[in-house]
């Protein structure tokens, strides 16, 4: 009897949590079908996806920026993560400790230093102002280095004896074994870039260059249905990526917890 009661309580709690998580999504989807007179209409979906190109153009531009940031961050994190996990060099532990300290720093702490550096590099107002700072983020290095630690040293030693170069060991031995961590770092990098708000406002001067995460706030409040549809548009890439790679993401998180 106690077992059934406990199972019922767990099921009820899980159902309530699922409902609370899905409720905003359902409201956004349903709200897009209501016009200003609270009547059913597909006009808002038609305007955002077909009629008005500004939304889709901003969407694809934002997607391009996020893919550039994700690709660069994964490449840097893979190389740095392998170095911290499998290479020996002076000061490695101190550098890794400093890396973990950087992970807990709020974004607002680095806005001003990044602004000064980007101004010195003449990148303010350009796409590079968003891409370059987004590439060098310590979280990806930490996750991938933890995954690389699960790669047996014996496997790497055998690859060295077979005459494999460092790059070949990294790309053909370490990365396939630690695929979950690499995918997890890539997903988190994409989500962080897709949701950025402070960086575009601080580093870009032209409103037309703002990504969709910022431009969404400038949709007219009198067009509530169109606001809801824009929310659905913003949700599509993260939802698609999580649906395709949720197993690898969980695997990468588990690797990080085990280490």
């Amino acid at each position: 009897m106690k077992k059934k009661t406990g199972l019922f309580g767990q099921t009820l709690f899980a159902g309530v949590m699922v409902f609370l998580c899905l409720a905003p999504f359902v409201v956004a989807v349903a709200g897009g079908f209501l016009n200003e007179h609270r009547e059913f209409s597909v006009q808002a979906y038609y305007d955002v996806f077909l009629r008005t190109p500004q939304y889709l153009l901003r969407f694809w531009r934002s997607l391009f920026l996020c893919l550039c940031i994700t690709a660069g961050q994964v490449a840097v994190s893979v190389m740095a993560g392998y170095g911290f996990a499998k290479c020996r060099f002076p000061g490695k532990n101190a550098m890794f400790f400093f890396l973990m300290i950087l992970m807990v720093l709020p974004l607002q702490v680095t806005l001003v230093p990044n602004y000064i550096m980007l101004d010195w590099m003449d990148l303010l107002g350009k796409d590079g102002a968003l891409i370059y700072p987004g590439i060098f983020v310590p979280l990806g290095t930490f996750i991938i280095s933890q995954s690389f630690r699960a790669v047996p040293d014996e496997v790497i030693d055998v690859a060295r004896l077979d005459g494999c170069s460092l790059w070949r060991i990294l790309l053909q031995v370490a990365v396939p074994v630690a695929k979950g961590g690499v995918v997890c770092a890539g997903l988190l990098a994409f989500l962080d870039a897709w949701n950025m708000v402070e960086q575009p406002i601080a580093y870009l001067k032209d409103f037309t260059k703002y990504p969709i995460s910022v431009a969404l706030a400038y949709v007219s409040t009198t067009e509530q249905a169109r606001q809801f549809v824009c929310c659905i548009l913003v949700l599509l890439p993260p939802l698609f990526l999580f649906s395709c790679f949720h197993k690898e993401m969980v695997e990468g998180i588990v690797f990080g917890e085990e280490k």
Side-chain angles (χ1 to χ4, degrees):
M1 187 67 180
K2 289 183 179 179
K3 251 186 176 181
K4 291 183 179 179
T5 305
L7 182 61
F8 174 77
Q10 293 174 5
T11 305
L12 179 62
F13 178 76
V16 172
M17 293 303 297
V18 171
F19 173 77
L20 292 176
C21 293
L22 290 179
F25 175 73
V26 174
V27 170
V29 174
F33 289 106
L34 298 177
N35 58 20
E36 61 272 12
H37 304 294
R38 296 297 177 182
E39 299 173 346
F40 178 83
S41 173
V42 296
Q43 185 64 40
Y45 283 92
Y46 174 75
D47 290 342
V48 172
F49 286 96
L50 296 174
R51 183 182 177 183
T52 310
Q54 63 177 350
Y55 300 108
L56 289 181
L57 288 175
R58 199 178 293 276
F59 171 84
W60 289 114
R61 186 177 183 280
S62 302
L63 190 62
F64 171 75
L65 290 173
C66 293
L67 291 177
C68 290
I69 293 173
T70 302
Q73 188 177 145
V74 169
V76 171
S77 299
V78 164
M79 292 184 288
Y82 184 82
F84 281 119
K86 296 299 180 182
C87 298
R88 297 179 180 178
F89 53 89
K92 182 178 76 170
N93 293 333
M95 293 175 63
F96 193 74
F97 178 75
F98 182 69
L99 184 76
M100 289 190 292
I101 293 178
L102 293 178
M103 285 174 52
V104 302
L105 289 180
L107 171 66
Q108 292 76 11
V109 175
T110 60
L111 278 178
V112 174
N114 283 339
Y115 184 93
I116 295 174
M117 293 182 63
L118 292 171
D119 186 31
W120 177 71
M121 298 170 65
D122 195 26
L123 288 176
L124 288 178
K126 302 177 182 177
D127 292 342
L130 300 180
I131 294 175
Y132 293 129
I135 290 176
F136 302 97
V137 175
L139 179 61
T141 301
F142 175 78
I143 293 175
I144 294 178
S145 66
Q146 299 301 90
S147 298
F148 280 153
R149 295 180 196 277
V151 180
D153 294 334
E154 294 77 10
V155 175
I156 296 178
D157 293 337
V158 170
R160 288 199 186 101
L161 291 176
D162 287 342
C164 294
S165 63
L166 178 62
W167 286 107
R168 189 173 179 184
I169 293 174
L170 175 62
L171 298 178
Q172 297 184 6
V173 178
V175 170
V177 175
K179 181 180 67 173
V182 176
V183 173
C184 178
L187 285 175
L188 293 178
F190 181 88
L191 292 176
D192 184 53
W194 187 254
N195 296 322
M196 60 182 172
V197 175
E198 294 92 342
Q199 301 95 314
I201 296 175
Y203 304 149
L204 299 181
K205 304 174 182 178
D206 188 357
F207 170 77
T208 59
K209 292 186 177 181
Y210 281 177
I212 196 169
S213 56
V214 178
L216 183 62
Y218 292 88
V219 179
S220 176
T221 55
T222 59
E223 302 172 342
Q224 191 176 53
R226 190 174 295 184
Q227 281 186 324
F228 281 130
V229 177
C230 289
C231 292
I232 299 299
L233 182 64
V234 173
L235 180 64
L236 291 179
L239 185 63
F240 172 77
L241 290 176
F242 183 78
S243 300
C244 294
F245 301 107
H246 65 279
K247 291 183 179 179
E248 288 81 0
M249 185 171 183
V250 172
E251 180 184 343
I253 294 174
V254 169
F255 268 129
E257 290 180 350
E258 289 178 350
K259 295 297 178 180

